[in-house]
Amino acid sequence: MNDGSIYGMGNATNTYQKGYLVKLSGETEAPTRLIWEQEYREAGTFHERFESFTQIDGNLYIAGRQCHTDSSCSSPFYKLHEINLTDGSRNSSITIPNPTEGTLSGLENITATSQGNLLLSCSVASTYNDACLINMSTTASLNWSWISTYPWFAGNRYASESPWGGFVFFGSAPAPDEYIVLNFNPTGAEQDRHATYEGWSNSRGFAFDSDNNMLRLFNGRDTDKPELWSTNQNGVTKVIKVFEGLNGEPRDITIDTDGSALLLFTDPESAMLVMKTHIENM
């Protein structure tokens, strides 16, 4: 995060499921690493689940769901939570608005925009659980929304503001090893789309390098090894790194404050591996 701290999100499970957050200092020694950790479940809520978070100014914003009546969570409430970074206390919890022409059925990832708004990738209740985007304020006021008119997005949906203006949306398609990238203008109108067919991935995230190329992690179709891909604004994709020494699955990528890339993998024993590297050295 902007202050150099590391935040982790998850869900604690016992009789009731709770949201979980931890803040770490980044220190190498364990006794001084933990700053705070919190579990969250509002009164009257059977289950509470956190899906994704982002930061704006001095607060975290978390997209999640609550279940008020039964353990199966057949009728969830989709919530936007504001968390104080200093101590982890919850400032507010408000309902996420539905898209203009649909009803939410699931949440994926939430990111911050340069205008101080929130961009949420999601799905709506339909035959194919069609993909959607919601652009809203930090008080959950809807700015604009978009719903896919075709069943292209089976999962792994992620959206972000793009460095060339507007927004970009990425997701996996029903066809094997097919991934779709959509570009939107600043007001949420779809502009163009590109498809990729050369690998598979459970990674939902992407990042942008200093040349405004989109960076994504995949398992290559030919090598079955983790690969780092670069895609430019026009949809031209190339493999810039094959991680020959890794047997795990790629999970996420982000750019650190010093411009280097942080890459997250899981190995066959479900351990987590974080790799830090400079893109220009690849």
Side-chain angles (χ1 to χ4, degrees), residues 89-166:
S89 60
R90 177 156 39 188
N91 295 336
S92 64
S93 179
I94 50 182
T95 299
I96 294 173
N98 285 313
T100 303
E101 299 181 356
T103 301
L104 280 172
S105 64
L107 307 177
E108 294 276 351
N109 281 79
I110 192 168
T111 56
T113 76
S114 60
Q115 301 299 312
N117 292 314
L118 298 165
L119 186 68
L120 176 66
S121 54
C122 50
S123 60
V124 293
S126 64
T127 302
Y128 298 102
N129 283 322
D130 291 331
C132 65
L133 284 179
I134 290 174
N135 185 298
M136 61 184 174
S137 70
T138 56
T139 58
S141 175
L142 182 66
N143 297 319
W144 56 260
S145 62
W146 168 88
I147 298 177
S148 171
T149 57
Y150 29 77
W152 279 3
F153 296 98
N156 295 336
R157 299 159 181 154
Y158 190 95
S160 173
E161 192 169 26
S162 64
W164 50 78

Side-chain angles (χ1 to χ4, degrees), residues 19-242:
Y20 172 80
L21 284 175
V22 61
K23 180 177 181 178
L24 305 175
S25 66
E27 298 291 335
T28 58
E29 299 297 325
T32 59
R33 190 179 304 153
L34 178 64
I35 299 177
W36 54 255
E37 60 179 341
Q38 295 275 11
E39 293 182 352
Y40 305 83
R41 185 172 66 86
E42 286 189 345
T45 300
F46 197 94
H47 284 317
E48 182 153 351
R49 181 176 178 84
F50 289 172
E51 301 291 351
S52 180
F53 71 88
T54 190
Q55 179 185 4
I56 296 179
D57 298 327
N59 295 302
L60 286 181
Y61 291 91
I62 298 175
R65 63 177 182 171
Q66 295 177 343
C67 311
H68 290 184
T69 57
D70 61 80
S71 59
S72 64
C73 201
S74 57
S75 301
F77 295 83
Y78 298 104
K79 294 288 187 174
L80 177 67
H81 310 289
E82 183 184 275
I83 306 295
N84 187 296
L85 293 180
T86 302
D87 59 7
S89 60
R90 177 156 39 188
N91 295 336
S92 64
S93 179
I94 50 182
T95 299
I96 294 173
N98 285 313
T100 303
E101 299 181 356
T103 301
L104 280 172
S105 64
L107 307 177
E108 294 276 351
N109 281 79
I110 192 168
T111 56
T113 76
S114 60
Q115 301 299 312
N117 292 314
L118 298 165
L119 186 68
L120 176 66
S121 54
C122 50
S123 60
V124 293
S126 64
T127 302
Y128 298 102
N129 283 322
D130 291 331
C132 65
L133 284 179
I134 290 174
N135 185 298
M136 61 184 174
S137 70
T138 56
T139 58
S141 175
L142 182 66
N143 297 319
W144 56 260
S145 62
W146 168 88
I147 298 177
S148 171
T149 57
Y150 29 77
W152 279 3
F153 296 98
N156 295 336
R157 299 159 181 154
Y158 190 95
S160 173
E161 192 169 26
S162 64
W164 50 78
F167 304 93
V168 62
F169 182 86
F170 168 77
S172 59
D177 302 333
E178 182 179 3
Y179 294 85
I180 307 296
V181 177
L182 297 179
N183 286 310
F184 296 83
N185 70 14
T187 59
E190 184 182 334
Q191 293 183 305
D192 54 53
R193 57 181 180 266
H194 312 286
T196 300
Y197 301 93
E198 300 302 324
W200 62 273
S201 178
N202 285 323
S203 173
R204 294 191 296 184
F206 57 82
F208 294 97
D209 65 16
S210 57
D211 295 321
N212 294 340
N213 297 311
M214 186 169 65
L215 303 175
R216 295 175 287 165
L217 287 170
F218 279 83
N219 275 93
R221 177 179 292 176
D222 296 327
T223 66
D224 202 33
K225 294 289 186 179
E227 297 177 352
L228 181 61
W229 294 15
S230 172
T231 302
N232 68 16
Q233 182 179 356
N234 299 315
V236 178
T237 297
K238 63 180 181 180
V239 178
I240 60 175
K241 175 70 175 179
V242 178

